[in-house]
Every structure is written in C-alpha cells, then in structure tokens.
Amino acid sequence: MSERVDLQDGFRVRLDRRSARRDYIDARRYIGALFRIPIYRRTSMKTLPIIDRRPGDRCCQPELVPALSADEVEDLTSALDVLGHPVRLSLLATMAASDGPVCVCDLEASVPVKQPTVSHHLKLLRAAGLVESEKRGLWAYYHVRQDELTRLRRRIAAGLGRLGGSDE
C-alpha cells in the first residue's frame, strides 16, 4: 500500500496511504507530492524604491494634526478606564439608582461575581473618587458622589466631542 514518489531537488518520499505517513521530508513537500502540486514556483520580483525618511516624518498628509493632544488622550483614557469594566459600571449604576447608601452585601448580590472581585472594583471606584463608603458595624455602605460623577461625565463628553462626528 505504499508508493514511491520522486520530488524536486532529488528527494524521494515513500507515501503510505493508510497512515498518511511521511519519511524524511517536510510537510509542504509531502502535501505537494500527495496532490501532485508543484512546490516551488518562480515569481517575478519587483524592486521598490527606498524612500529616505526621518522618524516622525509623514509621507501622505503632512498637515494632519491629531484631534487630541497626548495629555488629553491620557485624561480621556483614565476617565474611560474607570467605567471600562462591566462590573464597575453595574456597581455604579446600582448605587446611582438608590436614594441612599447601599450595603456591600446588596452590591455583591447585584453582580455575577464573588465578594473579592466586588471589593476590588469598589476599591477602584473609591480611588477614582466616584464613590464613598462608611462603615456601620460589620458592613460597609457605599454611595455615589454625584459631583464627581458629573465631573467625569463632562470630561468624557468633552474628550469625545473633540473627536468630531455627529451628535445623533
């Protein structure tokens, strides 16, 4: 059930049809031999001109200026990063929907993650200044700082507004 096939470059391969085994030959040549496909094809090479350019030079639109400066990009990125996780956004929405402080046990029940993950995301929201907590007995109660949330909303709106596009 084996067949000897001569390949280019003086290689010879023994093909075993039952196990599709190859001896001393790489996969490309084996497949080429199996399906009688020429392995190496000559292609016409085209020489491209080398353009001398310094790093930072632009080739197509030299007058193109970014809509946001590097500092504005960093500010917008940090603002979006706070809300960039579904658990943090869900926790913030739960607290914003409440009239008063929300117990951490209720926050944990509102998201599909375990307590350590909830604590981690609450710590990030506290570090961003969006929420405050107070301890009552064994439990911590969280509430949204509306002034900081409004400031964050304005930062994001201003940053995205600089990017252009329609308001629809």
Side-chain angles (χ1 to χ4, degrees):
M1 292 290 282
S2 67
E3 169 187 354
R4 284 201 174 280
V5 177
D6 290 327
L7 297 176
Q8 295 172 351
D9 301 330
F11 285 98
R12 177 175 279 179
V13 66
R14 186 182 73 219
L15 300 177
D16 187 354
R17 298 285 185 199
R18 283 179 293 158
S19 64
R21 207 178 75 197
R22 61 180 171 77
D23 293 331
Y24 309 107
I25 196 159
D26 64 3
R28 285 180 50 202
R29 287 191 173 147
Y30 172 68
I31 291 171
L34 188 62
F35 296 107
R36 310 274 191 249
I37 300 171
I39 298 165
Y40 298 107
R41 294 191 179 126
R42 294 189 184 266
T43 59
S44 60
M45 297 287 286
K46 185 177 182 182
T47 305
L48 298 175
I50 297 175
I51 299 173
D52 234 0
R53 218 171 25 143
R54 292 185 317 236
D57 286 352
R58 298 195 178 166
C59 61
C60 299
Q61 295 178 340
E63 70 280 349
L64 186 64
V65 178
L68 298 172
S69 69
D71 292 336
E72 291 170 327
V73 168
E74 280 295 320
D75 186 47
L76 183 59
T77 302
S78 66
L80 291 171
D81 192 37
V82 172
L83 302 176
H85 197 280
V87 172
R88 280 196 293 275
L89 194 56
S90 179
L91 290 171
L92 196 61
T94 302
M95 287 182 273
S98 174
D99 293 334
V102 181
C103 180
V104 72
C105 64
D106 295 329
L107 290 173
E108 182 185 350
S110 71
V111 290
V113 294
K114 301 290 183 193
Q115 182 271 328
T117 306
V118 172
S119 294
H120 167 73
H121 289 293
L122 287 171
K123 179 180 85 170
L124 294 176
L125 288 171
R126 271 195 322 269
L130 292 176
V131 298
E132 285 184 338
S133 67
E134 61 184 80
K135 189 132 176 158
R136 296 183 193 166
L138 294 175
W139 298 102
Y141 287 79
Y142 287 85
H143 65 276
V144 175
R145 294 183 57 195
Q146 291 297 332
D147 57 334
E148 289 297 322
L149 186 60
T150 303
R151 188 173 295 126
L152 179 68
R153 188 181 300 122
R154 286 185 185 142
R155 279 175 50 200
I156 291 173
L160 292 177
R162 298 275 317 265
L163 295 178
S166 65
D167 292 337
E168 295 175 27

